[in-house]
Amino acid sequence: MALSSTAYVILGLIDGRGLTGYEIKQIVDRSTRFFWAASYGQIYPELRRLEAAALVKGAERSQGDRRRREYRITAAGREELHAWLQRPPAVIETRDEALLKLFFAASLPATAPSALEHKRRLHAEKLGRLREIESSVAEHATPYQYATLRFGIALSEFCVRWCEEELEELRSGRHARNRTERRTS
Amino acid sequence: MALSSTAYVILGLIDGRGLTGYEIKQIVDRSTRFFWAASYGQIYPELRRLEAAALVKGAERSQGDRRRREYRITAAGREELHAWLQRPPAVIETRDEALLKLFFAASLPATAPSALEHKRRLHAEKLGRLREIESSVAEHATPYQYATLRFGIALSEFCVRWCEEELEELRSGRHARNRTERRTS
DNA sequence: GACTTCATGTAATAAGTTACATGATTCA
DNA sequence: TGAATCATGTAACTTATTACATGAAGTC
């Protein structure tokens, strides 16, 4: 079949309960968002494709004049989801502009602290959002969902800490050489 | 001007030395690759665009019948690079298919260990490549480049460790509930 | 002689973001 | 009544990957 990962995000989310495109987007933004984002521009067209392939089934759930289309997974859709879960994951990619700026900071060394400081702030903000989610979500998430949340929190904490340590090193001037001896600590 | 981040990867790499598109790709694959990938399909057209904008200057450095075009940064290009370094970084995005499969593992719980095991292996492989790079690159990298390398190594180690701990929890059966009490440890 | 590496490039496709358009309902 | 939220969708654009084509030079 060869669907996009974003298609499996949809299949995974509607496995068990019917959801509208709008609701899918809301849930994504508080969950997979942190390791797999999806925009309306992907979700709505993808729902149509999935319905055309009979992997989901949409039904009108309009209330008054407000149109609302709720999608449920079909038996074929669940099969497709299970097949995907059984295939080995391959994609783990990162795009980190802050790290890129740090990487090239030798071209303008005065910018290095700022790159690190912004990176620290971005991770701290993400950490704040994840902690807020954790405090409101713990009871209705699956253990696996909860595990990915804990991973995101621990990872963000790690990144914040690393930035702080590195800023400290920059300030203390120890950054002028490659401290090979530090690697083993 | 509004260039893509990939354009700045090129500007940053050729700041100081002339490089061909081929060499840029090779260097990227051993450095920024781990937080900002770039393919030939981006590099060659981008070099043309940058030359059209007079931010880089290409020159023939053919040897015999083998054509070879080496690019150097211009004064305007260096200015553009410096301006970019001074702007706050915004993009830090991750796409992690393994985490996605773990997130949806409640749909087919038997696949959870496999998702974690694959995630662990992918991080371990990355760690191996980074360590190999570290052992060969330490002397000619800038302290900032070396810092990003150490970050990549520490982060990969963290991810490998997390996967191992999580696998251990799965095996011991403690995964059946959301262990709120564990969060504070 | 065959394989690998060096070297440049394009075309097709896929994936994803942003901005916009539209309109109902809810809440202050 | 005005703002926020609910709700669906598309168009234009950007970004990036993959596969392909071409050919020289070096190596086993």
Side-chain angles (χ1 to χ4, degrees):
Chain A
M1 183 61 69
L3 302 169
S4 66
S5 289
T6 304
Y8 293 107
V9 171
I10 294 175
L11 289 177
L13 286 178
I14 64 172
D15 188 21
R17 62 195 152 160
L19 292 172
T20 67
Y22 187 81
E23 289 168 330
I24 288 169
K25 170 65 170 157
Q26 282 188 304
I27 296 170
V28 161
D29 282 347
R30 293 176 56 83
S31 57
T32 69
R33 164 78 187 81
F34 301 100
F35 48 90
W36 205 283
S39 63
Y40 285 125
Q42 286 173 277
I43 292 167
Y44 284 113
E46 194 64 69
L47 280 167
R48 304 236 149 185
R49 274 192 293 273
L50 288 171
E51 185 162 30
L55 301 174
V56 308
K57 180 88 192 72
E60 288 304 319
R61 287 280 183 285
S62 301
Q63 292 167 319
D65 271 338
R66 175 125 94 197
R67 62 201 249 272
R68 205 163 166 283
R69 194 170 172 79
E70 204 174 86
Y71 292 87
R72 291 179 176 277
I73 199 166
T74 64
R78 192 168 293 114
E79 250 176 72
E80 185 59 44
L81 175 65
H82 289 183
W84 172 74
L85 285 169
Q86 288 170 79
R87 286 197 293 272
V91 181
I92 300 184
E93 286 292 333
T94 297
R95 298 255 159 194
D96 187 331
E97 214 190 333
L99 225 39
L100 207 50
K101 294 195 184 197
L102 182 63
F103 185 84
F104 291 121
S107 290
L108 197 61
T111 62
S114 151
L116 270 171
E117 182 47 53
H118 279 107
K119 182 171 170 64
R120 193 203 62 78
R121 218 202 59 236
L122 290 168
H123 289 300
E125 282 168 5
K126 177 172 171 172
L127 180 57
R129 285 195 298 278
L130 289 173
R131 281 197 175 130
E132 187 263 313
I133 289 165
E134 190 193 22
S135 65
S136 68
V137 94
E139 52 308 321
H140 62 267
T142 72
Y144 305 106
Q145 291 172 352
Y146 194 67
T148 65
L149 180 57
R150 278 187 293 111
F151 175 72
I153 289 172
L155 189 73
S156 298
E157 286 170 344
F158 172 87
C159 292
V160 170
R161 215 180 315 124
W162 186 84
C163 290
E164 284 167 356
E165 285 167 13
E166 213 57 31
L167 275 164
E168 197 40 58
E169 298 238 3
L170 262 190
R171 284 191 202 103
S172 69
R174 265 175 296 166
H175 231 277
R177 59 217 146 83
N178 294 340
R179 288 132 304 118
T180 330
E181 70 278 6
R182 199 174 153 278
R183 277 181 286 163
T184 48
S185 73
Chain B
M1 182 61 69
L3 302 169
S4 66
S5 289
T6 304
Y8 293 106
V9 171
I10 293 174
L11 288 176
L13 286 179
I14 64 171
D15 188 22
R17 63 195 150 157
L19 292 173
T20 67
Y22 187 81
E23 289 169 331
I24 289 169
K25 171 63 171 159
Q26 281 187 305
I27 296 171
V28 162
D29 282 347
R30 292 176 58 83
S31 57
T32 68
R33 165 74 186 85
F34 301 100
F35 47 90
W36 205 283
S39 63
Y40 285 123
Q42 285 174 278
I43 292 168
Y44 284 113
E46 194 62 70
L47 280 167
R48 303 237 149 185
R49 276 193 292 273
L50 288 171
E51 185 163 30
L55 300 174
V56 308
K57 180 88 191 72
E60 288 303 320
R61 287 280 183 284
S62 300
Q63 292 168 318
D65 271 338
R66 174 125 93 197
R67 62 201 249 270
R68 204 161 167 283
R69 195 171 172 78
E70 203 175 86
Y71 291 88
R72 291 179 176 279
I73 200 166
T74 63
R78 193 168 293 112
E79 251 176 71
E80 185 59 44
L81 175 64
H82 289 184
W84 173 74
L85 285 169
Q86 287 170 80
R87 287 198 292 273
V91 181
I92 301 186
E93 285 292 333
T94 296
R95 298 254 159 195
D96 187 330
E97 215 191 331
L99 226 38
L100 207 50
K101 293 193 185 199
L102 182 62
F103 186 84
F104 290 123
S107 289
L108 196 61
T111 62
S114 149
L116 271 171
E117 181 47 52
H118 279 107
K119 183 170 169 62
R120 194 203 61 77
R121 218 202 58 234
L122 290 168
H123 289 299
E125 282 168 3
K126 177 171 171 173
L127 181 56
R129 286 195 297 278
L130 290 173
R131 282 194 175 135
E132 186 263 314
I133 289 165
E134 191 194 21
S135 64
S136 67
V137 95
E139 50 310 323
H140 63 266
T142 73
Y144 306 106
Q145 289 173 352
Y146 195 67
T148 64
L149 180 57
R150 278 187 294 110
F151 175 72
I153 289 172
L155 189 73
S156 298
E157 286 170 343
F158 172 88
C159 291
V160 169
R161 213 179 317 123
W162 186 85
C163 290
E164 285 167 356
E165 284 165 15
E166 212 57 32
L167 275 165
E168 196 41 56
E169 298 239 1
L170 262 191
R171 283 191 203 103
S172 69
R174 266 174 296 166
H175 231 278
R177 59 216 146 83
N178 295 342
R179 285 134 304 119
T180 330
E181 69 278 6
R182 200 173 153 281
R183 276 180 288 164
T184 47
S185 71

